[in-house]
Amino acid sequence: MEIIESIKKHQSDFSKTELRVSNYILKNLDNIETFTITKLADRSGTSTSAVLRFCQSMGFKGYKDFRFELISSLRVMRHLNVEKNYNNSHFFNYYIDSINQLEQIDQNLLKTLTTALMSPTTNYLIGVHFSALPAKGLFLGLEDLGIMSLYANDYISASHLTNTLKDEDTVVLFSISGSKRNFTNFLSAVTSSMPKNSFLITMNPKAELKPFFAQTILLPGYSFSNQSIVDIQTIPMMLVEVLLNMIHERQ
């Protein structure tokens, strides 16, 4: 409780970016204990250096020490005994609910995406951090089906891909949060030349990247992902398997 009250008392002392970090923490106390520094920076729309400065402003050496103190405080507040009360069943229920909701995705949109991926042009598949997994899965699956593509799993490689991007090509970007902060170079290079076959695959209904893409495929499970220590990739990976099987059936 003391650390939370301390954050509130220091609000006027924080810089603008530190204030964004503190506000996000205070509004998401139920989920924040599972966040890595990278995930907190992503969700708060700041950077890892901003999170680190916030922690240091609070009197901690780094994020690890701050997170430990916050978790301890939250557990006292909730009167939880983690060893006795931890139960995995709620995670399985979240997975089941999210998987069931996959059926609600617009089938015409999926057909549009598979048609674009099968066209005799170049596919550009992008995903960074944990979102690199479904992007790579789609890349390898397309290769197995005889469809050559280009793949980038970091921001620098993604921005370099734009040098060969053509209007008839297909771009698929995976991002759980849909934050545009880490794609500044990529977006600045394609703002005026983003292909009509451009697809954002995200879990965030308010994704900042949506306006930059012609189509957005919204996956279920965003609130679930916020409660996990890592971004949930099971759902986008299932979508990848669905897409690959749809393509296989059409070949």
Side-chain angles (χ1 to χ4, degrees):
M1 186 66 177
E2 290 182 1
I3 187 172
I4 297 173
E5 290 301 320
S6 181
I7 293 174
K8 294 178 179 178
K9 290 179 180 179
H10 282 79
Q11 291 288 81
S12 60
D13 300 326
F14 294 139
S15 66
K16 289 183 178 180
T17 53
E18 292 170 355
L19 187 60
R20 290 172 70 178
V21 174
S22 68
N23 286 339
Y24 187 87
I25 290 173
L26 293 175
K27 292 178 181 178
N28 297 274
L29 289 174
D30 289 339
N31 304 327
I32 202 68
E33 64 185 87
T34 64
F35 280 24
T36 61
I37 187 172
T38 301
K39 190 169 183 178
L40 176 55
D42 184 61
R43 292 293 194 270
S44 62
T46 58
S47 62
T48 54
S49 58
V51 175
L52 181 58
R53 288 195 301 272
F54 162 77
C55 296
Q56 292 172 341
S57 296
M58 289 294 299
F60 297 91
K61 292 182 179 180
Y63 179 69
K64 183 178 181 180
D65 294 332
F66 167 79
R67 179 173 173 271
F68 177 82
E69 186 67 25
L70 180 62
I71 291 174
S72 298
S73 180
L74 290 173
R75 288 177 179 172
V76 170
M77 287 174 60
R78 299 165 185 164
H79 302 287
L80 289 178
N81 185 326
V82 176
E83 293 295 327
K84 293 181 179 179
N85 296 324
Y86 185 76
N87 191 334
N88 283 321
S89 62
H90 69 290
F91 278 106
F92 289 113
N93 290 333
Y94 271 124
Y95 274 115
I96 293 171
D97 289 343
S98 298
I99 291 171
N100 288 335
Q101 291 178 52
L102 279 174
E103 294 182 333
Q104 300 175 17
I105 296 177
D106 187 345
Q107 294 300 305
N108 290 326
L109 182 54
L110 295 184
K111 290 179 181 178
T112 300
L113 175 53
T114 56
T115 298
L117 291 171
M118 295 176 69
S119 63
T121 56
T122 304
N123 297 317
Y124 291 77
L125 313 175
I126 303 168
V128 298
H129 296 317
F130 292 110
S131 292
L133 183 61
K136 186 174 183 179
L138 182 57
F139 169 72
L140 295 175
L142 290 175
E143 280 201 330
D144 288 342
L145 294 172
I147 301 174
M148 299 299 294
S149 305
L150 297 176
Y151 160 66
N153 63 355
D154 62 74
Y155 309 121
I156 297 176
S157 298
S159 61
H160 282 304
L161 284 183
T162 60
N163 293 327
T164 58
L165 188 62
K166 299 178 181 178
D167 185 59
E168 63 270 20
D169 293 330
T170 297
V171 175
V172 180
L173 189 149
F174 291 83
S175 175
I176 296 301
S177 67
S179 173
K180 67 179 182 180
R181 176 176 54 85
N182 293 318
F183 291 97
T184 303
N185 293 334
F186 173 78
L187 293 174
S188 62
V190 299
T191 297
S192 60
S193 59
M194 180 71 85
K196 61 180 181 180
N197 287 326
S198 58
F199 301 83
L200 170 66
I201 300 178
T202 182
M203 284 184 175
N204 187 358
K206 299 181 180 180
E208 295 176 334
L209 286 170
K210 287 177 67 175
F212 297 93
F213 290 80
Q215 304 283 358
T216 296
I217 297 178
L218 182 62
L219 301 178
Y222 188 60
S223 60
F224 176 28
S225 184
N226 282 338
Q227 297 179 40
S228 173
I229 196 169
V230 295
D231 283 341
I232 299 299
Q233 294 305 312
T234 307
I235 308 304
M237 283 300 297
M238 289 193 69
L239 176 68
V240 167
E241 293 186 15
V242 169
L243 292 172
L244 292 173
N245 279 288
M246 289 177 65
I247 292 173
H248 176 63
E249 290 176 358
R250 295 175 60 181
Q251 285 184 325

